[in-house]
Amino acid sequence: MMGAGVAGLRAAIELAAAGRVLVLAKKEAGVSPQPAPDMTLSDEDEVTLHLQDTLSAGDGLCNPAAVKILLEEGPGRIDELMAWGRPRGTKLVFGLENAHSRHRSLHAEGESTGGEILRALRTKAESLKNISIAQFTFSTALLTDAGHITGVSLLDEKGVPQEVACSAVLLATGGMGQLYRNTTNSAEATADGVALAYRAGVEVSDLEFIQFHPTALYMKKVPRFLLSEELRAEGAHLRNLEMNRFMGKYHPMGEQAPRDLVARAIVHEMEVSRAKDPFVYLDLTHLNSSKVQKRFPRIYATCMQHNLDITEDMIPVRPAAHCAMGGVRTNLDGKTNVEGLYAAGEAAATGVHGANRLPGNSLLEGLVYGARAGQAMRQEAKPVSRPTAEPKAAYSNGPVDAGVEELIVLIQALMESELGVVRTRMGMQKAVTTLEEMAPKLAHPKTRRAYEASNLHLAALLVARSALAREESRGAHYRREYPDHDDKKFLKRSVIRGDKVIFVS
Ligand SMILES: Cc1cc2nc3c(=O)[nH]c(=O)nc-3n(C[C@H](O)[C@H](O)[C@H](O)COP(=O)(O)OP(=O)(O)OC[C@H]3O[C@@H](n4cnc5c(N)ncnc54)[C@H](O)[C@@H]3O)c2cc1C
């Protein structure tokens, strides 16, 4: 298993019945790098309504069969989880989130549902003797022979290159937010799965669709902490630098408009402000102060660490890259077009999300599709010639290759300006040309950071090529010169095969 998040751990638990499972994590395993407050599901809910909300967020590109599986298998996966390790704050609450028509966001323990899910999965995985977890182990490539996976090469915790033989691999490496200068994602989200898969000849899909969360905390030298949608659902207002509320100009639902519309409205307000370093404000000062502190303890505490009292001060915010809808193309069992290679979770493109994610569906996807991939991988279990190979050569883990950080900053700045919330042909072409010129500098990575830079570079090119090919606006992909849907040509998913972007129904 490449990855020890929700998808990787859930798959490992399923696969352990069939043989030995090695779970790799480039940092600590089973730790939530960010607060993931919600998972969508409700006992009282009509599955059909949740299905409709998901399909409507996906803007015509969801695979309805994939969504149906998510919603039908979700309750069973959550019951299992509760049996393995009931979230500590046993009270589960359902809330209303942006783009949902019913209260179906499940919270455990205040705002840390993702952390509680990972805790339960890790405890279960550690109780199974067939599962070993290798932390701080960085996968660098997939090994294939005659179109079949034969193993993985990696840098171990000391930075020494190794090869591990295996009969199947699951890519569960998470998202690609680090492609952007402003992101809610952790430093681990460097698109490794997509890059490794593409280099191994695997199809990747829907990469042009990157969801930007409209409201991430924007303060100098402070991580782009996510200020959840629920703040606006509780009545928070957005104000421009002149302190005027503006969402009413853009959408009748005001602050409750869909995520991508709010992000675009903020970008427009930032453009017209002509400020050198623009942002807008999220304003909660009119809401009941103790209610805000009680309802959002983690957000309140985090902002207080930066001397910002959200009950009294305006919060500076900007949109930030949040989730990837695309990834490694799979069927409904997580299988890719290379034998023995599977993908699940945010690294995968199962068709659940289409052109945009419904908030809160991601953790559920990791559970449901992680389990499905683990089940499907059981058929691949067979003895491998050698469980681990000897180290090939020793490389130092640091200092980082000269210039690598500068290249990463360049890639992130380019993606932020040319492949952000609003895109143009000229900007994206410039991005592709600049990235192509940069390629030789990243061709021979040796350290982890250089591998990450190389993966980010490749993923950036793939995102840019997909976005250029989609000459319309849909879901999270917005092009200034094509502001509308073009269903005739583009009611299809993008797939990258080799150096071609094609569109398939
Ligand atoms: C701030 C924030 C809030 C969110 N809130 C919600 C929410 O409320 N509800 C919801 O449903 N979703 C939410 N999401 C999305 C959701 O958290 C993610 O989509 C989901 O956790 C992804 O799980 P995953 O298992 O696919 O990957 P991850 O949990 O990201 O795990 C990836 C794993 O892969 C490992 N890895 C990566 N590359 C390598 C490599 N080269 N070698 C070895 N290991 C590697 C990492 O170390 C890690 O263990 C949120 C996301 C963010 C950023």
Side-chain angles (χ1 to χ4, degrees), residues 45-52 68 71-72 75 104:
D45 201 2
E46 292 285 338
V47 165
T48 38
L49 261 187
H50 191 166
L51 179 83
Q52 274 162 22
K68 226 162 153 262
L71 306 185
E72 285 174 0
R104 62 165 79 94

Side-chain angles (χ1 to χ4, degrees), residues 123-246:
T123 307
K124 176 69 180 172
E126 283 172 346
S127 74
L128 300 174
K129 67 174 177 10
N130 262 349
I131 297 182
S132 324
I133 300 180
Q135 304 190 109
F136 303 101
T137 303
F138 186 94
S139 316
T140 53
L142 294 165
L143 306 173
T144 56
D145 184 23
H148 201 294
I149 280 290
T150 56
V152 173
S153 58
L154 49 87
L155 295 176
D156 70 14
E157 72 274 22
K158 297 199 177 90
V160 178
Q162 310 261 2
E163 283 183 3
V164 176
C166 57
S167 57
V169 171
L170 176 80
L171 293 168
T173 49
M176 49 175 107
Q178 288 296 325
L179 282 173
Y180 292 86
R181 187 194 280 162
N182 288 299
T183 179
T184 60
N185 290 192
S186 75
E188 287 177 77
T190 52
D192 296 355
V194 165
L196 266 58
Y198 180 77
R199 288 193 196 102
V202 180
E203 291 176 353
V204 289
S205 185
D206 310 326
L207 290 181
E208 64 274 35
F209 300 114
I210 306 276
Q211 186 184 85
F212 294 86
H213 197 288
T215 54
L217 180 64
Y218 187 67
M219 293 171 82
K220 287 221 161 66
K221 299 194 176 147
V222 172
R224 298 289 171 258
F225 182 72
L226 183 147
L227 294 159
S228 131
E229 221 101 58
E230 300 216 345
L231 292 166
R232 278 179 282 126
E234 289 286 326
H237 296 154
L238 280 164
R239 296 184 184 278
N240 60 21
L241 291 178
E242 288 163 349
M243 294 298 158
N244 296 323
R245 284 185 70 187
F246 56 84

Side-chain angles (χ1 to χ4, degrees), residues 228-445:
S228 131
E229 221 101 58
E230 300 216 345
L231 292 166
R232 278 179 282 126
E234 289 286 326
H237 296 154
L238 280 164
R239 296 184 184 278
N240 60 21
L241 291 178
E242 288 163 349
M243 294 298 158
N244 296 323
R245 284 185 70 187
F246 56 84
M247 274 311 301
K249 282 191 294 186
Y250 296 92
H251 198 277
M253 288 171 79
E255 276 87 355
Q256 308 302 317
R259 221 173 237 192
D260 44 320
L261 285 168
V262 179
R264 283 210 294 279
I266 293 176
V267 166
H268 190 251
E269 290 293 318
M270 294 195 312
E271 276 171 7
V272 298
S273 79
R274 298 195 175 274
K276 205 169 153 227
D277 190 17
F279 56 87
V280 299
Y281 290 111
L282 192 63
D283 176 11
L284 283 82
T285 56
H286 55 288
L287 301 178
N288 179 295
S289 153
S290 54
K291 202 173 153 202
V292 166
Q293 287 182 44
K294 212 166 150 218
R295 175 75 182 81
F296 303 105
R298 177 127 50 162
I299 292 176
Y300 179 76
T302 305
C303 290
M304 278 306 261
Q305 283 168 14
H306 306 296
N307 296 322
L308 196 72
D309 180 343
I310 61 171
T311 64
E312 290 182 1
D313 304 322
M314 301 271 177
I315 316 171
V317 295
R318 276 185 74 142
H322 185 51
C323 284
M325 272 63 82
V328 179
R329 183 169 159 84
T330 71
N331 71 6
L332 299 179
D333 290 321
K335 209 168 187 313
T336 72
N337 63 310
V338 163
E339 287 300 314
L341 184 68
Y342 293 74
E346 200 171 329
T350 53
V352 162
H353 305 294
N356 212 343
R357 277 176 194 244
L358 188 69
N361 268 354
S362 311
L363 292 169
L364 194 63
E365 183 196 22
L367 283 180
V368 169
Y369 281 91
R372 287 180 75 87
Q375 274 162 17
M377 288 170 81
R378 288 180 183 176
Q379 76 196 29
E380 311 275 357
K382 46 180 133 10
V384 284
S385 50
R386 247 185 335 166
T388 54
E390 294 305 309
K392 287 165 70 182
Y395 287 114
S396 149
N397 220 7
V400 295
D401 300 357
V404 161
E405 290 303 331
E406 286 82 349
L407 289 173
I408 292 176
V409 168
L410 268 177
I411 294 168
Q412 290 172 333
L414 198 59
M415 293 298 283
E416 186 85 23
S417 63
E418 311 306 348
L419 281 124
V421 176
V422 177
R423 301 164 173 184
T424 63
R425 179 196 304 280
M426 212 205 280
M428 291 190 286
Q429 273 169 343
K430 177 183 142 199
V432 168
T433 309
T434 312
L435 288 164
E436 282 172 352
E437 285 167 4
M438 208 185 271
K441 297 182 183 154
L442 290 155
H444 305 290

